[in-house]
Amino acid sequence: MAEPCRLTTDRADCVACGRPQPLPAGAAVCDCGRRENLAVRYPLDPARRAALLAAVAAGERSLWRYAPLLPVGARHASRLQVGWTPLIDCGEVEGVRLHLKDETRNPSGSLKDRASEVVVAVAAARGVERVVVASTGNAAASLACIAASAGLTAVILVPQTVPQAKLAQILAYGATVYRVAGSYDDAFALVETASERLGLFNRSTGLNPFTREGKKTVALEIAEQLGWQAPDWVIVPTGDGNILSAVWKGFRELAALGLIARTPRLVAAQSAASPAIARAHGAHPLLPPPDAAETTVADSITVDRPRDGTAALQALAESDGLAVEVDDEAIVAGVGEAAARFGLFVEPSGGAAVAAFRRLARAGLFERNQRVVCLATGSGLKDLRPILGAVTPEWLDRRAPLVRPGDWQSIAPS
Ligand SMILES: Cc1ncc(COP(=O)(O)O)c(C=O)c1O
Ligand SMILES: [Zn+2]
């Protein structure tokens, strides 16, 4: 095994009590008793700004173009391309300039690869060989994918309700998999105990501070792709709140370095069946919650106890943000719209971002010509239920009629 390497910073702050402390080697919480995640801290000085701009100019086409703002150097990267995904300009929609950040292009098909890439690089730098995660599916598929490329072993715990395509992906990457007879929250608790008892490196959201470091690169990219400018709004599908807090950290670090003049307002897009962060933040008077629902098609944002809730709520408060709940009908319509109108097939969480965009626009919360970015966080191929879940033979006959070979007269271009 290689000698462990030093990380690029050794400082962190507790997101709950704010107390500075040494950056832990892996998963950890502050001893203030709030069991909250830590935020990695870098000196954001002119030297770091210069290093960042030099790295960007070198033109690396992955998240490692931002290595000076990451906890570990690019020499621990996997062999895959994670990040540097397209920011799709959808033109004028609802009077604003809409962009979709196409995170479906990451190796395992979701934004989670950004977190896994950096966590696995930290693990590799530390000489760790086995990484464990609890996940609703995407973080697991992602960890299994990046670990396979980097030659590490991934140990995965998912709720038994995990969508089939995600399970297939996790298995294909050769991970050690356990299906937990319970919820994501149950899987999370089990991983926490198992990693403590068995000494495993835990990638789980809200415990491992390096997931936020990877995910924040999506904000750095958006700003760079807009010519070092923040958009007016960023809409983030939200479950644990780690993407939301990461996006905010990314924009804030750029602002502190003087690379962007202002930061965006953030929107947490949540399913009406799993609205913990939206409820804690409170609804905007023009965005009343839809009827409560028991279940949702958006499994990847289904979380009872958000693991990065404190930091996510801080991100909403500090960015003058909003939380918006959307129901399954709107989520499924959002999936359809992203695909049929913009050519991007997203999983339900991405549909939730598009649905939230529509709600905000119709409530008149955007100003004319503002720039709005929706995070399309995961590929539609991961979960076909929004499209095929309620299919009846009659629907299929109407939507995709069966024709006989040679029967060209039945082909009517619409
Ligand atoms: C595709 C996708 N979008 C959004 C989220 C929500 O991210 P977070 O749990 O950090 O809020 C997840 C989490 O699993 C996800 O897989
Ligand atoms: Zn603390």
Side-chain angles (χ1 to χ4, degrees):
M1 193 197 304
E3 275 293 294
C5 304
R6 284 168 63 89
L7 301 184
T8 61
T9 174
D10 58 2
R11 304 306 306 165
D13 303 306
C14 170
V15 300
C17 71
R19 189 141 45 91
Q21 50 208 279
L23 180 62
V29 289
C30 174
D31 59 13
C32 65
R34 303 238 338 239
R35 298 199 63 74
E36 287 284 354
N37 202 347
L38 302 175
V40 179
R41 177 152 42 88
Y42 310 86
L44 298 171
D45 51 20
R48 191 148 312 238
R49 177 191 157 108
L52 184 68
L53 289 176
V56 164
E60 168 66 38
R61 298 176 68 79
S62 76
L63 58 74
W64 294 105
R65 72 195 277 112
Y66 307 111
L69 268 188
L70 292 174
V72 65
R75 71 194 175 94
H76 298 290
S78 75
R79 294 171 195 278
L80 298 164
Q81 185 204 317
V82 181
W84 199 239
T85 60
L87 182 65
I88 298 169
D89 183 350
C90 301
E92 192 189 310
V93 185
E94 300 266 17
V96 299
R97 189 72 171 267
L98 175 66
H99 297 263
L100 294 177
K101 182 66 171 158
D102 183 6
E103 291 297 296
T104 73
R105 305 278 192 107
N106 282 306
S108 81
S110 89
L111 184 148
K112 301 277 162 153
D113 288 340
R114 295 180 185 271
S116 297
E117 175 77 359
V118 171
V119 169
V120 165
V122 169
R126 289 292 168 112
V128 170
E129 287 168 349
R130 280 197 302 170
V131 184
V132 62
V133 74
S135 157
T136 55
N138 281 331
S142 161
L143 180 65
C145 167
I146 308 290
S149 162
L152 267 66
T153 302
V155 181
I156 304 292
L157 279 84
V158 283
Q160 70 185 140
T161 51
V162 60
Q164 250 197 335
K166 292 179 188 174
L167 182 60
Q169 246 190 320
I170 299 164
L171 292 167
Y173 290 128
T176 304
V177 186
Y178 299 92
R179 289 174 303 129
V180 178
S183 64
Y184 166 59
D185 297 273
D186 297 321
F188 191 96
L190 189 50
V191 162
E192 204 174 351
T193 312
S195 55
E196 273 164 23
R197 298 283 163 85
L198 305 173
L200 297 170
F201 187 88
N202 186 351
R203 177 225 181 272
S204 295
T205 297
L207 290 176
N208 192 308
F210 304 111
T211 61
R212 197 186 288 118
E213 294 311 291
K215 290 173 178 178
K216 81 180 180 190
T217 59
V218 77
L220 310 185
E221 278 175 30
I222 291 169
E224 188 188 345
Q225 288 166 326
L226 292 177
W228 295 112
Q229 268 183 17
D232 296 287
W233 299 84
V234 181
I235 304 182
V236 183
T238 299
D240 275 320
N242 193 236
I243 300 179
L244 192 73
S245 77
V247 166
W248 184 234
K249 189 170 193 279
F251 283 116
R252 274 188 44 214
E253 287 180 356
L254 288 182
L257 288 170
L259 285 168
I260 55 172
R262 57 176 181 81
T263 48
R265 296 180 72 180
L266 301 189
V267 177
Q270 291 218 282
S271 157
S274 190
I277 288 175
R279 291 291 157 93
H281 180 73
H284 188 282
L286 296 174
L287 300 168
D291 291 341
E294 293 270 296
T295 57
T296 174
V297 70
D299 67 286
S300 62
I301 50 174
T302 302
V303 171
D304 285 341
R305 257 188 352 105
R307 306 295 160 177
D308 209 15
T310 300
L313 288 168
Q314 285 168 2
L316 289 179
E318 290 170 17
S319 73
D320 190 20
L322 298 172
V324 50
E325 294 178 38
V326 288
D327 60 22
D328 269 19
E329 200 185 328
I331 290 173
V332 171
V335 170
E337 185 179 0
R341 184 150 178 209
F342 307 122
L344 194 57
F345 187 27
V346 295
E347 65 148 72
S349 54
V354 175
F357 167 76
R358 284 289 180 200
R359 282 205 74 189
L360 265 68
R362 286 174 188 166
L365 289 164
F366 298 139
E367 285 166 34
R368 212 167 166 73
N369 298 328
Q370 282 191 317
R371 259 183 214 282
V372 183
V373 175
C374 284
L375 296 189
T377 47
S379 163
L381 292 174
K382 284 169 167 286
D383 187 353
L384 301 179
R385 289 172 303 170
I387 309 300
L388 298 178
V391 166
T392 59
E394 297 72 37
W395 183 89
L396 200 57
D397 279 344
R398 229 180 321 114
R399 195 61 186 75
L402 202 59
V403 291
R404 281 174 284 109
D407 178 13
W408 65 267
Q409 291 95 331
S410 293
I411 311 297
S414 54

